[in-house]
Amino acid sequence: MDVSDIFKEVFNYIMEEHNRKSIIIIAVLCFVSTFLSNIDNGNGSLISLLLVLIITILIYGIGISIIESTLKNSNEIPKLDLKNNFLDGLRNYILTMVYALVPIIITIIIAIPLGLYSNFYKLALVAEKYPVGTSADVIMQALPRDVVMSLGIAFVVCMLIAVVLLIISMYFNYIAQARLAETGSIMEGLNIKELYNKIKSIGVGKYTIFFIILGILSNIITFIGVFIDAYIPIPIMALIYNTVTFLLMYRGIGLIYMEG
């Protein structure tokens, strides 16, 4: 199946009449999660955050069930199963967090030899000599130009490294989630060698094109959602953007994984 055919199939999957009930459930979960995330009322916000975490894990689990059903050649979105979806979601959440943290940790370590922290410390020593209330312009004029330049360069380099590492992490995380759905093992999802072999069996070029197109489509849907949400006072983002991109990603991951 060509990459274009994969995305055509994904959109057909979303439009299938027998999937509407499941899509509505997913949309409601996305809406509730978004609504609770915006609540800020003291102690109540802690409860909201806990509920958001639970719903997020549940949604992650639904994603795994979609991949799993796709691998079984099913065209139906699996029915909500609170227990299994939550357990699968917890595994998926842990797996995704690992892939998210690795680029951050590596960037933090790389920042040391680049002088990000040492140069920041030097500037902080200069700034702390001035009393509270001193004009920012005065402090900026006193900062050593060479140190400011070194800090700026180190910061830019660190950000570029972080972005590259994050993209690589996402590149493997997609396959890792499919591996998790297939095996039920977090460790299999972290087996980079096996993941790379799977990507090679799919075709590095084919998988890369899929990865890029998925990113482009997700951003287009995001833009449309933001544009609509700015003019229509209802939570369009949660009901449309989150739901469509969610189905686009997980159904697409399942289909591309089957190509290997």
Side-chain angles (χ1 to χ4, degrees):
M1 186 184 298
D2 292 335
V3 173
S4 59
D5 292 329
I6 288 176
F7 286 104
K8 287 178 183 177
E9 201 286 331
V10 170
F11 284 110
N12 288 335
Y13 177 80
I14 295 173
M15 297 304 294
E16 289 282 357
E17 185 174 351
H18 58 257
N19 285 330
R20 288 179 184 174
K21 183 177 179 180
S22 295
I23 290 176
I24 291 173
I25 292 173
I26 294 171
V28 170
L29 288 172
C30 290
F31 166 71
V32 173
S33 178
T34 301
F35 176 76
L36 292 175
S37 297
N38 293 325
I39 293 179
D40 184 13
N41 56 353
N43 293 331
S45 63
L46 295 177
I47 297 176
S48 298
L49 288 175
L50 179 59
L51 290 174
V52 169
L53 178 61
I54 292 173
I55 293 173
T56 299
I57 291 174
L58 189 61
I59 292 173
Y60 270 60
I62 294 173
I64 292 298
S65 71
I66 289 175
I67 296 176
E68 188 176 0
S69 68
T70 299
L71 299 181
K72 294 177 181 178
N73 292 309
S74 172
N75 290 320
E76 293 189 17
I77 298 175
K79 293 181 179 179
L80 184 66
D81 184 330
L82 291 177
K83 180 181 177 181
N84 289 329
N85 287 155
F86 186 82
L87 292 175
D88 285 340
L90 188 59
R91 297 187 189 97
N92 191 15
Y93 189 81
I94 293 172
L95 182 69
T96 301
M97 287 302 102
V98 171
Y99 276 97
L101 286 173
V102 168
I104 296 174
I105 294 172
I106 293 175
T107 303
I108 289 173
I109 294 172
I110 291 176
I112 297 174
L114 289 176
L116 182 67
Y117 309 124
S118 59
N119 284 305
F120 181 81
Y121 180 69
K122 290 176 183 177
L123 295 181
L125 289 177
V126 174
E128 72 176 4
K129 294 178 181 179
Y130 291 85
V132 177
T134 303
S135 170
D137 291 335
V138 173
I139 297 176
M140 288 300 296
Q141 289 296 324
L143 298 178
R145 297 297 96 189
D146 59 330
V147 178
V148 173
M149 182 65 70
S150 296
L151 178 63
I153 293 174
F155 179 79
V156 171
V157 172
C158 284
M159 287 301 99
L160 289 175
I161 291 173
V163 169
V164 172
L165 290 176
L166 183 60
I167 292 173
I168 294 173
S169 179
M170 290 173 60
Y171 188 84
F172 279 95
N173 185 37
Y174 287 168
I175 289 295
Q177 291 183 77
R179 185 72 175 168
L180 173 63
E182 182 181 43
T183 65
S185 170
I186 294 176
M187 296 309 297
E188 284 298 315
L190 295 172
N191 190 333
I192 298 299
K193 181 179 179 181
E194 287 300 320
L195 297 181
Y196 180 66
N197 287 336
K198 185 64 178 182
I199 292 173
K200 285 200 300 183
S201 68
I202 295 170
V204 175
K206 185 174 185 177
Y207 177 69
T208 302
I209 292 172
F210 165 82
F211 180 78
I212 293 172
I213 293 177
L214 180 59
I216 292 173
L217 287 176
S218 296
N219 281 299
I220 290 175
I221 295 170
T222 300
F223 175 80
I224 294 173
V226 171
F227 180 80
I228 295 175
D229 197 42
Y231 292 95
I232 302 178
I234 57 175
I236 293 294
M237 283 293 290
L239 294 174
I240 297 180
Y241 157 65
N242 290 336
T243 306
V244 173
T245 52
F246 172 83
L247 294 169
L248 178 68
M249 182 175 75
Y250 283 103
R251 179 65 172 178
I253 289 173
L255 291 172
I256 194 67
Y257 191 83
M258 291 176 66
E259 293 296 301

